[in-house]
Amino acid sequence: MPQEYRQILKYADEPGYTPDIECYLRHGGYDILRKALAIPPRNLADGRIVTGPDHLRQEVMTSGLRGRGGAGFSCGLKWSFVDRKSGKPIYLICNADESEPGTFKDKQIIYKDPHQLIEGMAIACYANDVHLAYIYIRGEFAEGAKILNRALKEARARDFLGENILGSDYDLEIHVHRGAGAYICGEETGLIESLEGKRAYPRIKPPYFPAVLGNNTGTRIVSISGHVRKPGYYEVEVGKATLGELINDPAFGGGLREGRKLKAIIPGGSSAKVFKAGEKFKIKRRGPDGKDAEQEIELLNLPYDFDSLIAAGSMSGSGGIIVLDDSTDIVEALANISEFYAHESCGQCTPCREGSLWMSKALQRLTHGEGREADADYLMKIADNIPGGRTVCAFGEACSWPVQSFVAKFKDEFVARGAADEENRTRRNAGPTAVGKLPASS
Amino acid sequence: MSDAPLDHGIPNPLREQPDFAIPAPLEAEINELITHYPQKRSASLMLLHAMQEHFGHVSRQAVEWIAAKLELQPINVYELVTFYPMFHLKPVGKHHLKVCRTLSCALGGSHKLHEHFCRKLGLDPHAHGAQTTKDGQFTVEFVECLASCGTAPVMMCNDTFHEGVSEKKADEILKQCQQQPSP
Ligand code: SF4
Ligand code: FES
């Protein structure tokens, strides 16, 4: 049975572990930075020199480390895109905007183990010739910003930041930059605009197509919320636990509440496409004979990793699993999600700005007794017309996926709700109270 | 037509903060913040935070002061205040209660919690947007996911997080606020 495997959160919740530098140093803190800065340059046979930073970048590339954001993008590959020849300064920005609903992992690191974040950033900065870096932290984490500022001050005082770090000739400064309550700042180009003192309007960026992926490595912090007995954050080895284990095992979510049955799972933050209880998927997997074969897998047996969830038509996204039991009003749930996206669209692109609002309005009327039987199809039509290259950023997808998946998989509930509302209206209009009133306009 | 000034949310400069002045420690903090960035404009958000922390809101004078300081047009700063939900142009209650309304918290009872606060404070539980009590002590508002979904329902009172907020806990929070001496 899989257990938690804590690497990043190894000490965070230990009794007596505090966010100050003394405590971090007692637990081996800044040793890796010290080692990284001490890597000597190597001379290759052909006369080229592999510097310490070159070596670190190669190491990260071969390690298979992938980003822990939505896409699980290869970290080494991402670093290889940096233009090091232009002579322009290179900045590193740590995205601590944690804003995807259902996700609460970064907060644990920032509040409980800030020096780990700073050390990690310092190593990444050294590997990439960065001398100025920012932590973009969501505005609501005012306390977290204070904790980070305190930690940065401590690190400077101990010579882990600033000029000539540990006598290595390497200079680095890190500053905290606070957001101010806009979800779209989590989108990387929106974040950069925001850091530059502008509205967080995402920019158009070229699509990247990662060529060779497949191996998962390291751990991942999964946030489980909603209708489970033990909601919380759990660090697991990537791919070692299934969705069902994460939800039901006593080591993790601990199962549903007494007498309840599973209705749906949102597997990777609120924009991930919903799974309906009992769904089965045909997925290519490597069998014991080493050959890839198509296998039928039940929802709860899906390994919780980047690739399996994509193969099942959704994503592990931010690692936020929201569990819905059979007490959930599925129409209300989608109305809630859509209200979020309508509120958070930055407003640059018409399909996203208007579409997210129309969907939210249609769902509001469905949850307020004013629905129509045709609303399910209407919602689907809007959702199908927002994404697919019609918007600047992936928010277009993010606001459509929940609607497309909820309405497709629970269509009967949406249709029934709208039909019931229509029937009620007809009855009201035909009733004695309607006498003398004008007929309802069509 | 009445003579009342049109209210587009842009405060009337003559009525607002006539005694606007930046105290020396705040100006020192601001000068330090500006040094964190290769370009001054990047400091806008941090300066707005500093202003709001000091004055409780961002007045038109504050917007104009920041613009002058960063060598920008006032609109460049004003459009940030209207874009980012955390900044407000008008004073809010001394105790700002922000209840998360997003899915995990909604499943965990945040609507009940919001209603509870509204009823206790004599506000309309069904009204949209932020509401402030007449005495200016409390503002109650629904906000989006506060990244603490595992301990729903979640809320903030000013900058402090409160998690797993039952009605009993909510009453304690209100009591604590009411007992705080006025500055
Ligand atoms: S898709 Fe939406 S959020 Fe993204 S840039 Fe366009 S309007 Fe803004
Ligand atoms: S949904 Fe309330 S904190 Fe995330």
Side-chain angles (χ1 to χ4, degrees):
Chain A
M1 199 187 277
Q3 292 291 323
E4 258 208 280
Y5 182 77
R6 286 197 166 203
Q7 246 175 359
I8 300 161
L9 298 177
K10 191 164 174 193
Y11 302 118
D13 290 311
E14 262 187 18
Y17 191 79
T18 48
D20 56 86
I21 199 164
E22 306 296 339
C23 182
Y24 189 62
L25 289 171
R26 276 201 302 279
H27 289 77
Y30 290 104
D31 274 1
I32 315 271
L33 175 64
R34 202 182 290 275
K35 267 189 210 149
L37 292 173
I39 298 172
R42 267 184 304 135
N43 293 313
L44 294 184
D46 60 7
R48 279 183 303 141
I49 299 172
V50 180
T51 63
D54 291 341
H55 180 88
L56 282 171
R57 289 201 303 278
Q58 268 166 20
E59 194 88 329
V60 167
M61 180 73 100
T62 44
S63 75
L65 182 67
R66 287 166 72 165
R68 261 54 182 164
F73 197 80
S74 154
C75 185
L77 207 57
K78 187 168 185 165
W79 289 4
S80 75
F81 295 153
V82 176
D83 180 357
R84 285 164 223 286
K85 303 225 170 69
S86 72
K88 290 189 195 151
I90 304 167
Y91 303 106
L92 184 135
I93 307 168
C94 165
N95 183 347
D97 190 56
E98 186 146 73
S99 50
E100 179 68 21
T103 320
F104 42 100
K105 55 186 170 45
D106 302 349
K107 191 179 173 200
Q108 316 306 327
I109 304 167
I110 296 164
Y111 280 68
K112 297 172 184 166
D113 206 359
H115 281 287
Q116 188 185 176
L117 175 63
I118 295 168
E119 183 178 5
M121 281 179 76
I123 297 165
C125 286
Y126 179 63
N128 287 288
D129 311 311
V130 171
H131 299 285
L132 186 53
Y134 297 92
I135 304 172
Y136 188 107
I137 186 168
R138 62 175 295 177
E140 290 84 351
F141 290 173
E143 195 56 44
K146 283 198 189 120
I147 293 171
L148 283 171
N149 272 321
R150 210 175 301 140
L152 288 167
K153 210 168 150 193
E154 290 174 332
R156 269 176 221 126
R158 296 292 188 119
D159 206 18
F160 298 124
L161 285 178
E163 281 172 18
N164 190 17
I165 297 171
L166 299 172
S168 65
D169 229 7
Y170 172 65
D171 307 338
L172 172 65
E173 199 42 85
I174 302 180
H175 295 297
V176 174
H177 182 96
R178 292 180 64 200
Y183 167 82
I184 200 62
C185 296
E187 197 279 341
E188 62 182 347
T189 60
L191 185 148
I192 293 170
E193 291 285 315
S194 178
L195 186 59
E196 291 181 349
K198 300 174 195 157
R199 286 183 164 200
Y201 287 151
R203 305 170 186 169
I204 292 192
K205 57 179 181 188
Y208 296 128
F209 298 106
V212 274
L213 285 181
N215 65 329
N216 285 301
T217 183
T219 62
R220 189 153 195 223
I221 305 169
V222 181
S223 313
I224 307 179
S225 66
H227 293 140
V228 287
R229 281 178 217 243
K230 279 176 57 206
Y233 47 91
Y234 300 97
E235 187 169 355
V236 290
E237 277 182 277
V238 178
K240 285 284 160 66
T242 63
L243 204 46
E245 285 165 340
L246 287 172
I247 291 170
N248 291 321
D249 267 20
F252 304 113
L256 302 191
R257 295 171 303 175
E258 191 67 41
R260 289 289 169 205
K261 281 207 229 46
L262 182 69
K263 181 156 188 176
I265 305 168
I266 303 170
S270 72
S271 61
K273 287 191 175 173
V274 70
F275 288 135
K276 186 176 181 175
E279 269 190 87
K280 293 191 179 75
F281 310 95
K282 288 227 156 50
I283 286 179
K284 270 216 176 92
R285 291 183 92 185
R286 189 145 299 173
D289 55 354
K291 282 199 199 108
D292 281 346
E294 206 158 77
Q295 255 181 20
E296 194 177 75
I297 297 191
E298 296 202 357
L299 171 60
L300 294 179
N301 294 333
L302 271 180
Y304 193 72
D305 59 43
F306 300 107
D307 303 328
S308 303
L309 268 81
I310 286 175
S314 187
M315 61 176 182
S316 63
S318 65
I321 301 176
I322 307 173
V323 180
L324 307 176
D325 72 19
D326 57 355
S327 71
T328 315
D329 179 334
I330 221 74
V331 184
E332 286 269 2
L334 182 62
N336 182 294
I337 296 175
S338 292
E339 194 176 336
F340 174 85
Y341 288 102
H343 183 254
E344 300 294 343
S345 165
C346 86
Q348 263 193 119
C349 328
T350 308
C352 168
R353 181 188 62 241
E354 301 302 314
S356 61
L357 196 65
W358 293 350
M359 294 191 295
S360 177
K361 280 188 174 166
L363 285 155
Q364 287 303 321
R365 81 179 169 229
L366 270 172
T367 48
H368 285 80
E370 299 293 332
R372 302 173 313 179
E373 195 173 342
D375 277 342
D377 292 329
Y378 173 71
L379 279 164
M380 215 46 164
K381 201 168 151 195
I382 305 171
D384 286 346
N385 279 296
I386 300 171
R390 296 183 185 88
T391 60
V392 166
C393 83
F395 189 102
E397 274 78 14
C399 72
S400 308
W401 285 336
V403 174
Q404 289 170 324
S405 58
F406 269 80
V407 177
K409 293 181 185 181
F410 297 93
K411 188 158 182 189
D412 46 338
E413 295 191 36
F414 285 87
V415 172
R417 181 71 61 92
D421 285 355
E422 277 187 25
E423 208 183 300
N424 282 335
R425 273 200 300 281
T426 318
R427 206 176 305 134
R428 263 206 314 270
N429 290 337
T433 51
V435 173
K437 275 194 186 161
L438 290 170
S441 59
S442 56
Chain B
M1 264 193 62
S2 82
D3 296 340
L6 287 177
D7 185 358
H8 299 293
I10 306 171
N12 181 332
L14 297 177
R15 272 178 306 149
E16 232 227 335
Q17 284 209 298
D19 51 351
F20 180 82
I22 301 284
L26 178 59
E27 181 143 21
E29 183 192 336
I30 284 172
N31 289 337
E32 156 73 19
L33 285 169
I34 296 172
T35 66
H36 292 182
Y37 301 91
Q39 275 166 11
K40 281 185 177 180
R41 183 175 187 168
S42 294
S44 307
L45 258 70
M46 293 302 278
L47 263 49
L48 285 166
H49 275 300
M51 287 283 182
Q52 184 156 299
E53 243 151 58
H54 184 81
F55 295 110
H57 70 295
V58 183
S59 67
R60 179 166 174 162
Q61 274 95 335
V63 167
E64 286 173 358
W65 190 91
I66 292 176
K69 184 89 186 167
L70 300 179
E71 294 164 34
L72 299 168
Q73 295 301 320
I75 182 65
N76 300 139
V77 180
Y78 186 70
E79 68 173 3
L80 302 179
V81 185
T82 56
F83 182 84
Y84 293 95
M86 270 182 79
F87 297 129
H88 19 265
L89 287 160
K90 291 185 179 155
V92 291
K94 190 174 137 206
H95 309 284
H96 193 170
L97 307 176
K98 294 171 251 188
V99 180
C100 171
R101 65 150 285 283
T102 315
L103 187 56
S104 304
C105 284
L107 297 172
S110 62
H111 283 80
K112 266 205 177 134
L113 179 62
H114 179 261
E115 195 173 326
H116 183 76
F117 279 126
C118 288
R119 290 205 193 290
K120 283 256 156 164
L121 297 168
L123 301 168
D124 178 3
H126 303 295
H128 278 276
Q131 301 180 74
T132 304
T133 53
K134 285 208 187 73
D135 60 5
Q137 286 295 302
F138 288 94
T139 295
V140 179
E141 186 181 11
F142 258 141
V143 295
E144 299 297 347
C145 180
L146 292 169
S148 308
C149 332
T151 43
V154 174
M155 61 171 286
M156 294 182 79
C157 176
N158 295 342
D159 283 343
T160 312
F161 273 89
H162 295 280
E163 306 181 45
V165 185
S166 58
E167 291 198 355
K168 193 167 150 248
K169 218 168 163 179
D171 291 339
E172 279 163 25
I173 293 166
L174 283 181
K175 210 160 135 202
Q176 263 174 26
C177 292
Q178 277 151 349
Q179 280 166 357
Q180 247 174 55
S182 284

